[in-house]
Amino acid sequence: MSRRSRLLAVLCAAAALGGCGVGPGKSPAGPIGLTVTGDFGTRPYLSLPGARVEGADTVMRVLQRNAKVGTRFGGDFVQSINGVAGGHVAGRPVDWFFFVNGIQSKKGASAVDVHGGDRIWWDRRDWGVTPDVPAVVGSFPEPFVHGTGGKRLPVRVECDDPRAGACDVVAKKLIALGVPAGRSTISHSAADNTLRVIVGPWSELRGNDAEAQSLDDGPKASGVFARFDASAQHLDVLDGRGRVVRTLGAATGLVAATSEKKREPVWFVTGTDKAGVDSAAAAFDEKLLHNRFALAIAQGLPMDLPAEVAAG
Amino acid sequence: MSAPASPLRAARAPVVAAYACALVTAVLTFEHPLALAALGVAIIGAGVLAGCGRSLARGALFGLPFALMIALVNPLVAREGLHVVLRLGELGPLGQLDVTRESLVFGAVLGLRALLVVLAGGALLAATVNFDELLHVFRRISVRSALTAALAVRLVPVLGRDARRLADARRCRPDAGPRPNAAERLQIVRAVATGAMDRALDVAATLEVRGYATPTAAGGARRLPDPWSRHDLAFMAAAIALVVLAGGARLLGVAHFDAYPETVIHTGASEWILAAALVLVALLPFADRRGIT
């Protein structure tokens, strides 16, 4: 083999390994879910459990194959989906954002490849409070089942009391989904590539790590529109504009997810007290979490987070 | 060698300019390949019938690299289109790069448009319009602007002649080769550029001596306008008809073209009729050759 041929072979191999190739590439192995909603998941527009996909599609191409999409800035930014456009509504900025398996992407939709089993969720929402909602719970059982970027991630359930009923409920639900979840007490140093579900009353979880701190810092930091008070006995429920619309007392549960930079999401199954944590653990369920950014449970009743803005 | 006579050259300069501008407007109105092809035929046909086919060919040589660059760059920067033909993987700051059929088609359309604009708005206009006459018309609108443009137009060939003289002088040096190398060319350009200000001052002084500084002289003696010839009327009508056709087609959705996410080219009877009409309207004024020898 001549030197030139060898160089050519090396270049071809590098190109192939770098994801280069001719044609559309291989289609994902499993079905791709596509959900389009508005107002933090409360207004459903489109739900396709098996969206049309061709080849190695990106999130943008999957959306364009399955809905009428208006784009801007060279096709990187979604302006409208099926005629519902971003812009300003009642003086508030609203735009389309997307999550893959409940995790907000750091890249544009045309730069994110889809993988078998991914759940893509587009939501048009008010981003006046924050454009960053790093993780949501509404794609459950994702990201536990298919992970992120086509790779499953190790899952660990961390509990203030590993023998508590709530801890058991959460771990068993994950195992029932085929997710091999380890169980441990709450760690103070998170492994960056592990999906953690932290279970326990907020008074025990508070200040344990950066994610717990961001939840206390409010929606700007965590993307979760709820905040425990100083005593951790009350939960302030916020609306999409970041205003407190309700304060929930004893036996209030919360299921929420957030993540810090360059770390995998952390889910909180927590509450004001043991009863609250138990109700949150019971709500750790696909049906209840479906299309919700986060979920509060008060007196056994689920409540969307953020809370809907009252008319007027 | 004098330019061959043609109906377009017989028309007055503003009409020729309007005709070329109408062709450019029509080109910029459409993205539909059939309409653009028809306009390409119209522009080339107008160039050939006006006897400036060579100028158009030179213009094409100048415009073709631009057109090709646009056609090649678009697939690399456009993130749209559903049919991937080439996956280039992650390319640093460009991110994930997939070349799609749609971006290739739209790149070609944009390139063709750029080429046609160069041909109609550059080559055809430059080869057929009398710039002195055109600037004379603009003088009525803005004396200073027209004068500036006239000077600029005249200064370019003057500087060109200066450059040729300097190049001749360089060849007289005992150590000079028959053709200047890059460094020597740069020296000539620098010398010409340095002399440009002197030339401009000379021209300004000449104009002042000739009385251009006074408003009356600059405005020129008023004279009765020349009556419009049938060529003027024909080409003006063609220009208006081209703009109306393009605008009407746009309003009615004829020759609609969707580039993304999937290329949709509607090609029915209305598109063919429009294409024929564009060619016919643009070239019809050339049919009247009475008085053209």
Side-chain angles (χ1 to χ4, degrees):
Chain A
M1 191 187 259
S2 73
R3 209 167 145 184
R4 191 177 289 179
S5 306
R6 264 183 294 189
L7 183 67
L8 197 66
V10 168
L11 284 175
C12 287
L17 287 172
C20 305
V22 178
K26 265 173 71 175
S27 293
I32 303 295
L34 176 65
T35 304
V36 181
T37 62
D39 299 337
F40 299 92
T42 56
R43 200 183 294 269
Y45 291 126
L46 179 72
S47 179
L48 298 170
R52 201 153 61 88
V53 182
E54 279 178 38
D57 264 349
T58 59
V59 169
M60 179 64 90
R61 282 204 290 273
V62 170
L63 181 67
Q64 287 179 323
R65 282 187 209 288
N66 293 279
K68 191 168 169 52
V69 182
T71 59
R72 275 187 180 176
F73 310 126
D76 252 352
F77 181 84
V78 169
Q79 175 61 19
S80 67
I81 300 176
N82 285 345
V84 184
H88 280 81
V89 173
R92 304 284 301 174
V94 291
D95 273 304
W96 288 101
F97 296 85
F98 74 96
F99 303 93
V100 179
N101 293 341
I103 302 168
Q104 181 174 273
S105 174
K106 284 152 189 88
K107 296 185 202 167
S110 49
V112 178
D113 285 331
V114 294
H115 304 88
D118 278 355
R119 291 189 181 192
I120 302 165
W121 180 8
W122 285 89
D123 183 69
R124 192 194 74 145
R125 64 175 166 85
D126 180 335
W127 55 271
V129 173
T130 177
D132 290 319
V133 175
V136 291
V137 299
S139 296
F140 188 82
E142 302 304 342
F144 302 107
V145 176
H146 289 96
T148 166
K151 286 179 193 157
R152 274 184 90 151
L153 296 168
V155 179
R156 192 167 67 233
V157 180
E158 297 181 3
C159 310
D160 73 313
D161 176 7
R163 288 165 301 170
C167 189
D168 206 41
V169 168
V170 170
K172 279 185 175 161
K173 281 186 179 176
L174 286 171
I175 288 164
L177 290 164
V179 178
R183 214 187 301 187
S184 72
T185 53
I186 295 166
S187 70
H188 297 270
S189 56
D192 289 344
N193 63 344
T194 303
L195 283 170
R196 294 188 300 146
V197 185
I198 301 180
V199 185
W202 191 247
S203 54
E204 299 299 321
L205 309 186
R206 171 167 273 165
N208 268 332
D209 55 20
E211 283 81 6
Q213 185 57 50
S214 77
L215 209 69
D216 268 339
D217 290 341
K220 255 187 192 171
S222 64
V224 177
F225 287 73
R227 198 167 34 201
F228 286 96
D229 70 355
S231 67
Q233 298 304 307
H234 295 93
L235 181 72
D236 288 336
V237 173
L238 313 180
D239 67 9
R241 297 183 183 186
R243 300 173 299 196
V244 177
V245 291
R246 217 169 148 187
T247 299
L248 306 172
T252 297
L254 172 71
V255 184
T258 187
S259 78
E260 285 296 297
K261 274 179 191 160
K262 295 183 179 173
R263 299 209 326 194
E264 298 303 340
V266 173
W267 282 49
F268 292 101
V269 178
T270 183
T272 51
D273 46 30
K274 186 183 173 300
V277 177
D278 287 343
S279 62
F284 190 71
D285 176 83
E286 185 172 1
K287 269 188 190 164
L288 275 168
L289 296 178
H290 184 65
N291 286 2
R292 293 185 202 264
F293 272 46
L295 174 72
I297 307 102
Q299 314 298 327
L301 294 173
M303 186 185 291
D304 280 322
L305 292 176
E308 227 172 318
V309 181
Chain B
M1 197 173 74
S2 64
S6 79
L8 186 59
R9 287 180 199 276
R12 63 180 65 201
V15 171
V16 177
Y19 178 73
C21 286
L23 284 169
V24 170
T25 305
V27 167
L28 295 177
T29 305
F30 295 112
E31 289 173 347
H32 195 286
L34 186 60
L36 289 176
L39 285 165
V41 169
I43 291 164
I44 293 167
V48 170
L49 292 171
C52 57
R54 281 178 178 229
S55 300
L56 236 57
R58 275 198 297 274
L61 279 179
F62 173 76
L64 215 54
F66 283 108
L68 281 174
M69 188 187 287
I70 292 169
L72 290 174
V73 165
N74 186 65
L76 300 178
V77 295
R79 300 296 179 87
E80 298 185 83
L82 292 181
H83 299 93
V84 178
V85 291
L86 202 59
R87 287 169 288 117
L88 299 177
E90 286 276 338
L91 284 188
L94 291 174
Q96 170 99 3
L97 207 61
D98 290 336
V99 175
T100 61
R101 188 172 75 199
E102 289 79 9
S103 64
L104 285 169
V105 170
F106 195 52
V109 165
L110 292 177
L112 179 60
R113 276 171 81 177
L115 181 63
L116 293 180
V117 166
V118 168
L119 289 181
L124 183 65
L125 183 68
T128 52
V129 80
N130 180 338
F131 278 103
D132 284 339
E133 195 188 336
L134 194 61
L135 290 170
H136 186 81
V137 173
F138 281 112
R139 199 174 66 170
R140 287 181 211 154
I141 302 164
S142 169
V143 177
R144 283 165 197 234
S145 303
L147 198 58
T148 307
L151 286 176
V153 167
R154 274 162 183 73
L155 216 53
V156 171
V158 169
L159 294 177
R161 279 197 295 274
D162 281 356
R164 276 194 293 278
R165 273 197 289 271
L166 281 167
D168 287 342
R170 188 204 62 81
R171 271 199 295 276
C172 293
R173 290 168 62 100
D175 56 341
R179 296 185 72 81
N181 59 28
E184 288 164 343
R185 276 169 202 245
L186 191 65
Q187 276 181 337
I188 292 169
V189 170
R190 197 189 299 156
V192 171
T194 313
M197 188 57 79
D198 291 337
R199 279 292 190 182
L201 284 172
D202 288 348
V203 174
T206 309
L207 287 168
E208 197 172 356
V209 168
R210 289 185 182 182
Y212 273 87
T214 55
T216 317
R222 295 189 75 79
R223 57 173 187 166
L224 286 172
D226 294 330
W228 280 52
S229 70
R230 58 175 178 280
H231 300 299
D232 292 337
L233 292 171
F235 279 102
M236 199 62 203
I240 293 168
L242 275 171
V243 173
V244 169
L245 256 178
R250 183 89 187 206
L251 284 174
L252 296 172
V254 179
H256 184 67
F257 175 82
D258 279 330
Y260 303 115
E262 280 186 283
T263 305
V264 179
I265 306 173
H266 301 276
T267 310
S270 51
E271 280 74 24
W272 284 103
I273 290 168
L274 174 72
L278 286 169
V279 175
L280 197 69
V281 163
L283 299 184
L284 206 58
F286 289 94
D288 182 6
R289 292 191 63 87
R290 279 178 297 165
I292 306 294
T293 52

